[in-house]
């Protein structure tokens, strides 16, 4: 409660202080860039209507007479705030997201205490609702005294504001907050702002697929950015600022001079600034504002008490402190960086310095410019430097400070600093005119650290990717015990690790038995390949009870055979296309040069298919969509994978859900340790891929393979390679989607006689969804009369997949409609078009033979005539007498085929024999 009351007074004091100032800046409508906004009336709030970014802080406070209806229909297009955002005593407001549905980024360049989003004393607030918020660059979140607020714990605030503190007050209406998020089946990603809006993400498949220049975008247009990831100029996202523009460094906006001036800034060093940097002062010559160099200009501050990030930042320009400096930072993430940035210019402290109880401070190097501690007034009338209760403090000032530091008066007091070696204190103690008592220094400093140096001639020889030899020469004392300490360093870490350093991993310790006069030799086994280790030797002299430590050495194991990549997505994107996505093992990722992918179609066991009578039992198995997508979450030692929300993959395949990873090479899997089959060559199955081998350069995380057969299972194998050495295969199987255009057989022949016998022949489909299980011949007779309302269902005859012809007996009629259908693994009734078949009687068949014989005779006569005419050009006697007796014209033959058979039969016959 004390902390809550303190925060209340800080907010009230801050609010009252700024409310006393006049707000003389209006939104710059051309660019949407506005100065800091303090909205304590509805009229002030409406001034945000043209703002896309607020340069400074946004405070919406003390709207105590507002009502719920006052906020109906009010919404602003604000995207970004460079400072902090405060909502304090806004009566009637139920959702902050209602006002700012597009707020994407809070940069936290200025903080209120340690927070950049403060929601306090909001009696009617029911939700935060900032569903577009993706990132808070600096500072934490506090939501307090909002008794009706729901959905406070359904947001993953660590994703939005990592490395910051989040204080969320409990709701008084828990029974009304029973609605749960329904964004994904995975509890680790199931976060939402309310029952309608799921949390959005910057990275991973949950994130919208945006342009590289965007931090957030429209779901329907990846180029329409919410805010820019890099630089912004007149609403456009760029990789750098255009020429003749000024950089607004706090949010990388590119401004014209007029825009900078409108924000009460001025140009300096191609930037738009509002204050001159340290060593410069404002220069105003003929209304031309700039910064001029002033080396002897400095800022004198009164006594400073540094307990929060905002207090650190307030000391930014302090060079001389007329008073004391007190630092008490407990658990503020990244506090050391903040201290270096904002306290690094302090040169003199007139009274004393006290640094105590600060868990995150490991060194006093942040006071890099300190030259003088005056001791005008002393702590407890005795000390000018007090360092107490610093459990992680390992070193003091930099050598540059220690060698030049002057002390006016007083002594130092170091106590309860367990890993600070006494020699560091003794080196500093020489600078103080008053020497401390033994009680000020002894027994409570350095008792947990290795503060003596052990000279043991340490040598390390790396044997292979999993072992190394450690050799050293023991000291002459026979009663000394030796311990080898080593730790695997985090990937990409450049920090110095010592055994007292807090880390996620513990140091391994090996006790080394030493025979006096002989060198020590220890083999380290079970090391990780492609890893960097820190190693040292500690010696303990039991009779004299002191601990010494050698220099810490680093060594790196070779890469060797890499671990396989992890297949995070294997998804059928269509009937012929599969998308493969993977993540690399973190250890091997920097070393991978290429990947090998091979795939093989899985043969269908026709014997098993033939056992079943597919004509008798024609129920096609329901399509299992899970077979079309493999989506897995990798172990922690792999890179972050693409995990989807709501079971919808990045390739939009329905039905697939993200599952926890499976160790596909467990000890019980004998197939993992045998030699793998060689990669196949490229072969085809008709026009589709049967087997394929691909060699692709790295680094890469996805690949798509086309030309696959529809609705077939393919086995994929993926290997990561370092040069010529490749990992074992990561394996998975996926089935391509079915094709709507597959499985249709081709009718090649259909004939019927006047006995009702219908003969049908067909060709198998050009391509099939898996395999054909059976064929069916369907025959339909037309209506008896044109006015008849009776519709007949087709009669169906089913045959096995090996047959391609059928003769059936049906109702005797003059005309039939016939088609052939097939059943495959994916669909049960893929049919060709209906064809008309006219029943042919025996008499009609004789006429047909006569007609065909006459046509053959006619064609033969013409051929003979042409041949004879070529042999004798002088013979002008026509072989056929073309006299008017025949009464012929150029367009009318001597007889028509329609005179012999109905025209419809001829036409239909040509149709079905094409």
């Amino acid at each position: 409660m004390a902390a809550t009351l303190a925060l209340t007074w800080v907010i009230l004091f801050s609010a009252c202080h700024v409310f006393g100032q006049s707000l003389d800046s209006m939104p710059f409508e051309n660019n949407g860039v506005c100065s800091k906004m303090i909205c304590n009336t509805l009229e002030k709030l409406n001034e945000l209507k043209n703002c896309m970014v607020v340069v400074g802080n946004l405070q919406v406070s003390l709207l105590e007479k507002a009502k719920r209806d006052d906020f109906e229909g009010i919404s602003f297009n604000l995207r970004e705030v460079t400072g902090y955002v405060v909502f304090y005593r806004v009566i009637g407001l139920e959702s902050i997201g209602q006002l700012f549905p597009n707020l994407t980024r809070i940069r936290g360049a200025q903080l209120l205490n340690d927070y950049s989003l403060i929601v306090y004393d909001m009696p009617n607030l029911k939700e935060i609702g900032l569903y577009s918020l993706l990132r808070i660059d600096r500072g934490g979140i506090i939501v307090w005294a909002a008794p009706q607020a729901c959905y406070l714990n359904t947001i993953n605030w660590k994703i939005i504001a990592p490395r910051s503190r989040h204080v969320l007050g409990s709701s008084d209406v828990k029974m009304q907050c029973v609605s749960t998020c329904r964004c994904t089946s995975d509890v680790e990603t199931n976060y939402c702002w309310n029952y309608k809006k799921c949390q959005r993400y910057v990275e991973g498949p949950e994130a919208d697929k945006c342009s590289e220049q965007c931090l957030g975008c429209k779901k329907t247009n990846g180029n329409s950015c919410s805010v820019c990831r890099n630089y912004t100029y007149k609403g456009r996202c760029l990789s750098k600022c255009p020429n003749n523009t000024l950089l607004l460094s706090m949010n990388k906006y590119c401004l014209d001079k007029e825009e900078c001036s409108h924000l009460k800034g001025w140009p300096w060093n191609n930037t738009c600034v509002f204050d001159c940097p340290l060593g410069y002062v404002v220069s105003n010559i003929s209304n031309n504002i700039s910064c001029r160099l002033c080396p002897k200009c400095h800022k004198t501050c009164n006594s400073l008490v540094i307990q929060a990030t905002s207090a650190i930042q307030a000391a930014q320009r302090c060079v001389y402190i007329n008073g004391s400096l007190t630092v008490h930072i407990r658990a503020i993430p990244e506090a050391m960086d903040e201290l270096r940035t904002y306290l690094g210019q302090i040169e003199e402290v007139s009274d004393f310095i006290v640094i105590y109880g600060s868990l995150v401070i490991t060194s006093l190097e942040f006071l890099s410019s300190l030259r003088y501690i005056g001791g005008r007034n002393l702590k407890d009338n005795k000390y000018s430097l007090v360092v107490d209760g610093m459990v992680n403090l390992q070193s003091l000032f930099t050598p540059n400070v220690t060698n030049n530091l002057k002390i006016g008066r007083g002594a130092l007091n170091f106590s309860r600093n367990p890993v600070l070696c006494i020699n560091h204190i003794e080196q500093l103690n020489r600078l103080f005119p008053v020497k401390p008592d033994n009680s000020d220094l002894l027994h409570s400093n350095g008792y947990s650290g290795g503060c003596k140096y052990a000279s043991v001639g340490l040598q390390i020889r790396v044997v292979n990717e999993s072992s190394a030899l450690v050799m050293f020469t023991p000291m002459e004392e026979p009663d000394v015990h030796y311990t080898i300490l080593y730790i695997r360093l985090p990937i990409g870490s450049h920090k110095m690790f010592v055994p007292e350093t807090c880390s996620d991993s513990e140091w391994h310790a090996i006790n080394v038995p030493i025979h006096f006069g002989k060198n020590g030799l220890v083999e380290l086994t079970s090391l990780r390949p492609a890893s960097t280790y820190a190693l040292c030797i500690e010696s303990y002299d039991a009779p004299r009870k002191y601990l010494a430590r050698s220099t810490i050495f680093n060594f790196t194991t070779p890469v060797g055979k890499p671990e396989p990549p992890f297949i995070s997505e294997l998804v059928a994107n269509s009937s012929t296309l599969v998308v493969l996505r993977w993540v690399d093992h973190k250890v091997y990722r920097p070393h991978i040069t290429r990947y090998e992918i091979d795939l093989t179609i899985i043969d269908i066991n026709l014997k098993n298919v033939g056992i079943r009578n597919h004509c008798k039992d024609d129920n096609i198995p329901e399509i299992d969509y899970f077979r079309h997508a493999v989506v897995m979450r990798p172990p922690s030692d792999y890179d972050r994978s693409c995990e989807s929300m709501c079971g919808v993959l990045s390739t939009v395949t329905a039905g697939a859900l993200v599952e926890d990873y499976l160790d596909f090479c467990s000890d019980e899997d004998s197939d993992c340790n045998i030699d793998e089959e060689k990669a196949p060559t490229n072969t085809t199955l008709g026009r589709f891929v049967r087997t394929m081998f691909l060699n692709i350069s790295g680094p890469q995380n996805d690949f798509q393979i086309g030309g696959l057969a529809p609705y077939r299972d393919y086995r994929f194998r993926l290997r990561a390679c370092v040069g010529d050495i490749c990992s074992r295969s990561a394996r998975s199987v996926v089935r391509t989607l079915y094709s709507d255009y597959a499985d249709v057989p081709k009718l090649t022949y259909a004939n019927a006689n006047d006995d009702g016998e219908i003969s049908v022949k067909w060709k198998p489909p050009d391509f099939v969804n898996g395999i054909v299980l059976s064929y069916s011949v369907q025959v339909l007779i037309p209506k008896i009369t044109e006015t008849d309302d009776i519709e007949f269902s087709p009669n169906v005859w089913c045959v096995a997949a090996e047959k391609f012809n059928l003769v059936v007996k049906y109702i005797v009629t003059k005309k039939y409609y016939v088609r052939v259908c097939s059943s495959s693994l994916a669909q049960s009734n893929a049919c060709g078009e209906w064809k008309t078949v006219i029943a042919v009687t025996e008499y009609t068949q004789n006429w047909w033979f006569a007609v065909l014989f006459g046509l053959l005779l006619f064609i033969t006569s013409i051929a003979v005539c042409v041949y004879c005419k070529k042999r004798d050009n002088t013979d002008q006697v026509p072989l056929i007498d073309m006299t008017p007796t025949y009464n012929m014209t150029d367009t009318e033959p001597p007889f028509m085929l329609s005179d012999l058979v109905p025209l419809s039969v001829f036409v239909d016959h040509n149709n079905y024999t094409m």
Side-chain angles (χ1 to χ4, degrees):
M1 289 301 296
T4 304
L5 289 173
L7 178 62
T8 304
W9 282 110
V10 168
I11 294 177
L12 287 173
F13 176 80
S14 174
C16 294
H17 177 70
V18 296
F19 292 159
Q21 301 176 359
S22 63
L23 183 64
D24 55 359
S25 62
M26 295 294 291
F28 191 81
E29 298 182 1
N30 293 336
N31 204 4
V33 181
C34 303
S35 299
K36 63 181 180 180
M37 301 294 288
I38 304 168
C39 307
N40 57 351
T41 66
L42 291 175
E43 290 74 17
K44 293 286 188 181
L45 184 65
N46 283 324
E47 291 179 3
L48 286 166
K49 64 181 180 180
N50 295 313
C51 297
M52 292 187 67
V53 58
V54 171
V55 178
N57 306 319
L58 172 62
Q59 299 188 18
V60 183
S61 307
L62 299 178
L63 291 171
E64 296 182 299
K65 295 183 179 180
K67 301 181 295 298
R68 180 179 181 274
D69 294 343
D70 293 331
F71 300 103
E72 288 293 333
I74 298 179
S75 180
F76 304 102
N77 195 28
L78 182 66
R79 309 293 181 87
E80 182 177 350
V81 177
T82 66
Y84 57 77
V85 176
V86 172
F87 277 81
Y88 173 67
R89 290 202 60 78
V90 183
I91 309 302
L93 183 63
E94 296 182 351
S95 172
I96 297 175
Q98 170 192 336
L99 295 180
F100 304 110
N102 298 312
L103 182 60
T104 305
R105 189 172 197 172
I106 301 173
R107 292 186 179 264
Q110 299 86 34
L111 299 178
L112 185 56
N113 282 2
D114 297 323
Y115 303 99
S116 56
L117 177 59
I118 301 100
V119 180
Y120 188 77
D121 198 3
M122 299 284 287
N124 303 113
L125 191 71
K126 295 183 178 179
E127 63 178 30
I128 303 298
L130 293 170
Y131 53 84
S132 294
L133 186 62
L134 295 176
R135 178 174 294 175
I136 295 178
D137 294 4
R138 183 170 173 264
I141 298 104
I142 182 167
V143 181
W144 202 262
Q148 298 191 58
C150 297
Y151 299 100
L152 298 182
N153 296 310
T154 62
I155 300 299
N156 190 343
W157 296 106
K158 292 182 179 179
I159 296 294
I160 297 175
R163 303 180 303 277
S164 298
R165 189 182 181 196
H166 313 131
V167 180
L168 306 176
S170 59
S171 173
D172 293 340
V173 288
K174 292 182 179 179
M175 296 303 295
Q176 300 179 22
C177 297
V178 295
S179 298
T180 58
C181 302
R182 296 180 176 86
C183 297
T184 172
S185 61
D186 183 3
V187 295
E188 295 184 3
T189 57
N190 188 27
Y191 293 100
C192 60
W193 292 97
N194 52 40
Y195 72 96
K196 291 182 179 180
K197 296 292 185 178
C198 296
Q199 182 171 350
R200 298 174 62 187
Y201 297 86
V202 177
E203 299 175 346
E206 301 95 343
D208 300 325
K209 304 304 178 183
C210 302
S211 165
E212 293 181 357
Q213 298 289 346
C214 296
L215 182 72
C217 63
K218 288 185 177 180
K219 291 182 177 294
T220 56
N221 185 359
N223 293 318
S224 180
C225 303
S226 300
V227 297
C228 297
R229 189 181 293 271
N230 298 310
Y231 296 90
T232 307
Y233 178 63
K234 294 190 180 300
R236 293 183 293 127
C237 297
L238 306 172
S239 58
K240 63 179 183 178
C241 281
N243 295 332
N244 300 321
T245 60
L246 303 174
L247 174 64
L248 188 62
S249 57
M250 62 184 64
N251 66 346
K252 295 185 178 180
Y253 263 60
C254 310
L255 306 178
D256 299 330
K257 290 182 179 180
E258 295 79 8
E259 296 170 337
C260 178
S261 176
H262 183 84
L263 295 172
K264 306 303 180 184
W266 60 87
W268 187 78
N269 272 6
N270 296 321
T271 61
C272 179
V273 298
F274 306 94
D275 199 359
C276 291
L278 193 66
Y280 291 82
V281 294
V282 177
S283 171
N284 190 344
I285 301 175
S286 300
N287 291 326
N288 184 18
I289 303 176
S290 184
C291 298
R292 65 176 177 85
L293 186 64
C294 185
K296 296 183 179 181
C297 295
H298 61 270
K299 180 179 180 180
T300 299
C301 302
N302 294 324
S303 295
L304 295 178
V305 178
I306 308 296
Q307 290 182 312
T309 307
S310 54
I312 298 175
Q313 191 169 353
Q316 179 179 11
R317 304 180 66 84
C318 295
V319 177
Y320 301 131
I321 297 179
N322 184 22
S324 62
L325 171 63
T326 301
V327 179
H328 177 51
I329 301 291
R330 291 196 57 81
I332 300 176
E334 308 296 330
M336 284 297 292
D337 293 335
E338 299 278 346
L339 291 169
R340 291 188 193 99
T341 300
Y342 297 109
L343 271 64
Q345 68 282 347
I346 294 176
E347 295 182 7
E348 293 186 11
V349 178
S350 65
D351 291 348
F352 56 84
I353 297 177
V354 175
I355 303 174
Y356 73 100
S358 300
L359 300 177
V360 295
I361 294 179
T362 59
S363 170
L364 304 187
E365 62 178 5
F366 58 87
L367 294 171
S368 57
S369 300
L370 186 64
R371 295 293 181 266
Y372 182 72
I373 304 176
R376 183 183 60 187
N377 298 304
L378 297 175
K379 176 68 172 175
D380 298 332
N381 296 319
K382 185 176 182 180
Y383 305 110
S384 54
L385 176 62
V386 176
V387 179
D388 175 53
M390 303 288 288
V391 296
N392 292 310
L393 185 66
Q394 300 172 29
S395 61
L396 300 178
F397 304 110
T398 62
N400 181 52
V401 172
T402 303
N403 295 335
N404 297 283
L405 183 62
K406 304 297 181 183
I407 309 297
R409 57 189 290 260
L412 56 73
N413 183 355
F414 281 75
S415 59
R416 299 186 301 161
N417 306 300
V419 296
L420 180 65
C421 294
I422 196 71
N423 60 304
H424 294 300
I425 303 173
E426 291 173 345
Q427 185 180 7
L428 193 62
N429 187 34
R430 295 193 295 265
L431 306 177
F432 285 77
V434 178
K435 302 307 176 186
D437 299 332
N438 287 338
S439 61
D440 298 331
L441 296 179
L442 300 179
H443 307 303
S444 63
N445 298 297
Y447 57 85
S448 294
C451 296
K452 299 289 185 181
Y453 175 68
S455 178
V456 292
L458 179 63
Q459 297 182 23
I460 303 172
R461 182 168 67 88
V462 178
V463 178
N464 52 42
E465 59 267 23
S466 61
S467 65
L469 285 177
V470 180
M471 297 165 284
F472 64 96
T473 303
M475 293 180 288
E476 296 180 357
E477 291 81 356
D479 296 324
V480 176
H481 301 279
Y482 298 91
T483 303
I484 293 179
L485 301 174
Y486 68 97
I487 186 173
R488 181 171 175 261
L489 301 183
I491 298 173
S493 174
H494 301 288
K495 297 180 179 179
M496 174 61 71
F497 277 75
V498 297
E500 291 82 25
T501 302
C502 295
S503 62
D504 294 334
S505 303
E506 296 295 332
W507 285 70
H508 301 280
I510 300 177
N511 292 322
V512 184
I514 294 296
H515 299 288
F516 184 67
K518 293 185 178 181
N519 292 335
L521 180 64
V522 176
E523 182 180 7
L524 304 180
T525 59
S526 301
L527 301 179
R528 299 284 296 273
S531 300
T532 299
Y533 288 83
L535 182 144
C536 65
I537 293 181
E538 281 188 349
S539 62
Y540 179 68
D541 189 334
R544 287 182 282 185
K545 296 183 179 180
Y546 74 81
L547 182 72
R549 180 181 299 147
S550 71
T551 301
I552 296 177
F553 289 88
N554 290 350
F555 67 93
T556 302
T557 55
V559 177
K561 184 176 182 178
E563 285 294 308
F566 188 94
I567 297 177
S568 58
E569 286 190 22
L570 184 61
V571 181
N573 202 24
S574 70
S575 62
T576 61
L577 182 68
V578 166
V579 177
L580 174 64
R581 290 183 172 87
W582 65 89
V583 291
D584 294 312
H585 197 284
K586 292 178 181 178
V587 170
Y588 297 95
R589 179 185 55 188
H591 309 283
I592 293 173
T593 57
R594 62 186 181 91
Y595 300 92
E596 291 182 356
I597 301 174
D598 64 68
L599 58 146
T600 304
I601 198 170
I602 297 179
D603 294 328
I604 299 174
N605 192 332
L606 298 180
K607 290 184 179 180
N608 294 338
V609 174
I611 292 175
R612 181 176 177 180
N613 187 344
H614 296 283
C615 286
K616 184 177 180 180
D617 184 7
D618 58 355
N619 292 324
I620 302 299
E622 184 178 353
I623 294 177
D624 182 4
Y625 285 100
F626 290 97
R627 303 196 65 166
H628 299 302
V630 177
V631 187
M632 307 297 287
R633 183 181 298 106
S636 58
D637 50 356
Y638 280 80
D639 287 340
R640 183 178 179 182
S641 66
C642 291
E643 296 172 5
S644 312
M645 295 183 66
C646 306
V648 180
L649 305 178
S650 51
T651 45
V652 199
T653 296
L657 297 176
V658 179
E659 301 291 345
D660 288 333
Y661 74 90
L662 299 175
D663 185 359
F664 59 85
C665 266
S666 62
D667 294 336
E668 299 176 357
D669 189 354
S670 59
D671 188 39
C672 287
N673 299 319
I674 64 174
D675 293 335
E676 294 187 350
E677 297 179 359
K678 292 183 178 180
T681 58
N682 295 337
T683 61
T684 59
L685 180 67
R687 60 176 177 169
F688 300 111
V689 171
R690 182 179 183 84
T691 61
M692 178 181 287
F693 172 78
L694 298 165
N695 191 345
I696 60 176
S697 60
Q700 193 164 336
N701 295 107
D702 54 39
F703 200 80
Q704 61 182 18
I705 300 99
L708 307 182
Y711 213 72
R712 291 297 299 267
D713 291 327
Y714 281 88
R715 179 181 291 108
F716 283 77
R717 298 194 305 175
L718 173 66
R719 295 172 290 279
C721 304
V722 178
D724 296 330
I725 302 177
C726 296
S727 69
R728 69 180 187 272
S729 297
R731 294 163 289 178
S732 195
V733 176
V734 71
R735 176 174 293 179
T736 52
L737 301 180
Y738 72 88
S739 172
D740 292 326
Y741 304 100
D743 305 333
V744 179
K746 291 185 178 180
L747 183 63
T748 59
Y749 175 79
N751 189 23
N753 59 28
D754 54 359
D755 292 332
E757 284 190 352
I758 305 171
S759 299
V760 183
K761 296 180 181 180
W762 63 89
K763 287 184 177 180
D766 289 339
F767 57 100
V768 185
N769 288 311
I771 60 171
V772 173
L773 301 177
S774 63
Y775 292 103
S776 61
V777 175
Q778 299 184 5
V779 179
L780 179 66
I781 60 176
K783 297 178 181 179
I784 299 174
T785 64
E786 294 295 333
T787 60
D788 193 358
D789 293 332
I790 299 176
E791 289 284 354
F792 295 96
S793 299
N795 208 37
V796 180
W797 292 266
C798 179
V799 297
E802 297 81 17
K803 292 193 65 176
F804 304 108
N805 60 81
L806 184 65
V807 177
V808 300
K809 185 78 173 179
Y810 197 40
I811 300 172
V812 177
T813 185
K814 294 182 180 180
K815 183 166 64 172
Y816 303 91
Y817 299 111
V818 178
R819 70 176 180 180
V820 179
C821 306
S822 72
S823 294
S824 69
L825 292 177
Q827 51 186 339
S828 60
N829 209 26
C831 300
E833 296 181 355
W834 290 101
K835 304 296 181 182
T836 303
V837 179
I838 302 299
V840 180
T841 64
E842 184 177 354
Y843 176 77
T844 303
Q845 290 178 350
N846 292 335
W847 266 106
W848 270 108
F849 286 123
V851 170
L852 292 175
F853 179 78
L855 287 174
L856 181 61
L857 180 62
F858 178 76
I859 294 171
T860 304
S861 301
I862 294 296
V864 171
C865 176
V866 172
Y867 175 76
C868 294
K869 186 173 181 180
K870 288 182 177 180
R871 292 190 58 186
D872 187 3
N873 291 331
T874 60
D875 187 2
Q876 300 296 324
V877 178
L879 294 179
I880 299 176
D881 187 6
M882 302 292 289
T883 62
T885 306
Y886 294 98
N887 193 24
M888 293 183 60
T889 65
D890 292 338
T891 59
E892 185 178 348
F895 62 89
M896 298 288 291
L897 291 179
S898 60
D899 295 336
L900 305 179
V901 294
L903 181 62
S904 60
V905 175
F906 179 77
V907 175
D908 290 339
H909 182 73
N910 278 280
N911 280 341
Y912 83 84
T913 57
M914 57 181 290

